[in-house]
Amino acid sequence: MSERILTAHFDEPLFYKLETYRKLGGYQGLAKALGLKRPDLLLEEVKKSNLRGLGGAGFSTGMKWATVPPEAKCPGLRFVVANADESEPGCFKDRVLIEKAPHQLLEGLLIASYAIAASESYIFIRGEYAVGHEVLRQAIEEAELAGLIGDNILGSGFSCRVKLMRGAGAYISGLDTALLETMEGKKAWPRQPPPFPTVVGLMGRPTVVNNVETLSMLPHIVLKGGEWFAKIGVPKSGGTVVYSVSGHVEKPGVYEFPMGTPLRKIIEEAGGVRAGRKLKAVIPGGTSTPVLTAAEIDVTMDFEGLKSVGSFFGAGGIIVLDETTDM
């Protein structure tokens, strides 16, 4: 497999533990970000990276952060929310990222919080993810005891609390504004922007909502630079993507590839179509994305590539269907 960022240490059996994560370079990105003393420089680095939202929307992460009002114009509370309500059928990469690398997510969440001056952050996790919820609970506890969450983090003067909130199984809560409604104790019903959450979000305060994978990329971008990340992908979309590959393949699972990798290559990496059967169709980004035929699998897996064949990237949930499938 080609260059991996988020899954590079997945073979480490204790990667979910703080001690192991730090031995492998964990929280160095946070230390570097805090050491800048300039959140605006952090924002510029994320813009350079061409990191886009990997939960489905595909909006530029740096541009989203830039729409948060400056503290001088809007003093007081602001929030970052990690959207871990992975409810799109065919998508399970965030679950794996949480269970195997919870501190990678926490580090990214803290970096994003520093960038927009958020003193409180949340992880909203899908109700069915009981194992992930427990893994995150323990990781937050470890980080708090180590002084990585709470007051005066790493002696920087920056303070941030991280709270874990569990959903109740509503599919629509995966949408950012419906998620915020749920967090406020209301029905999971989407809000109609404007205003956007970055201006009026959780409890009426500026709020950035990013998914698990997007936030997990941040420590690596801070450490190695936005230009490094941008070069890995395609011109408008930097870095790698973790795909959930399921359906009629020999080796279902999560696979990480640079943005712009052909769909055919990803299917081949997953062992190809099961039992030597013929490919019939592929759902490229979760069940809400238009289906591709077997003749269309040389498409590049990026936002523009999939748009060119009448589908869209979605949340990277690739579902392979063989010739036995009744469409």
Side-chain angles (χ1 to χ4, degrees), residues 98-178:
I98 287 167
E99 292 178 8
K100 287 188 173 287
H103 285 286
Q104 191 170 236
L105 167 59
L106 288 176
E107 185 177 8
L109 180 64
L110 290 164
I111 289 169
S113 300
Y114 179 65
I116 70 154
S119 58
E120 284 188 30
S121 295
Y122 290 85
I123 301 172
F124 186 92
I125 187 168
R126 180 179 174 181
E128 292 87 344
Y129 283 180
V131 173
H133 182 273
E134 180 58 21
V135 169
L136 278 171
R137 187 194 66 75
Q138 291 181 19
I140 291 169
E141 192 174 275
E142 281 186 311
E144 286 174 340
L145 288 171
L148 296 162
I149 294 174
D151 297 327
N152 192 26
I153 297 170
L154 297 176
S156 65
F158 172 65
S159 300
C160 186
R161 305 282 173 189
V162 176
K163 299 175 183 177
L164 187 57
M165 186 175 285
R166 198 168 179 180
Y171 169 80
I172 194 62
S173 291
L175 184 67
D176 57 357
T177 57

Side-chain angles (χ1 to χ4, degrees), residues 217-235:
M217 292 290 186
L218 296 174
H220 307 280
I221 291 170
V222 172
L223 272 179
K224 296 185 179 180
E227 290 182 3
W228 161 81
F229 191 83
K231 286 176 182 175
I232 293 172
V234 292

Side-chain angles (χ1 to χ4, degrees), residues 27-145:
Y27 288 104
Q28 288 182 12
L30 175 62
K32 183 178 178 181
L34 296 176
L36 290 172
K37 305 290 184 186
R38 291 273 305 274
D40 58 317
L41 295 179
L42 188 56
L43 175 62
E44 288 308 310
E45 209 61 42
V46 174
K47 282 183 181 176
K48 273 189 221 171
S49 74
N50 289 336
L51 175 65
R52 292 171 70 168
L54 298 169
F59 193 74
S60 163
T61 302
M63 292 303 293
K64 177 189 274 191
W65 292 5
T67 62
V68 176
E71 282 190 279
K73 292 185 178 179
C74 185
L77 272 178
R78 49 193 59 209
F79 306 100
V80 175
V81 176
N83 184 349
D85 193 78
E86 187 178 41
S87 50
E88 178 72 12
C91 298
F92 48 87
K93 62 181 179 180
D94 284 352
R95 175 178 62 78
V96 175
L97 288 169
I98 287 167
E99 292 178 8
K100 287 188 173 287
H103 285 286
Q104 191 170 236
L105 167 59
L106 288 176
E107 185 177 8
L109 180 64
L110 290 164
I111 289 169
S113 300
Y114 179 65
I116 70 154
S119 58
E120 284 188 30
S121 295
Y122 290 85
I123 301 172
F124 186 92
I125 187 168
R126 180 179 174 181
E128 292 87 344
Y129 283 180
V131 173
H133 182 273
E134 180 58 21
V135 169
L136 278 171
R137 187 194 66 75
Q138 291 181 19
I140 291 169
E141 192 174 275
E142 281 186 311
E144 286 174 340
L145 288 171

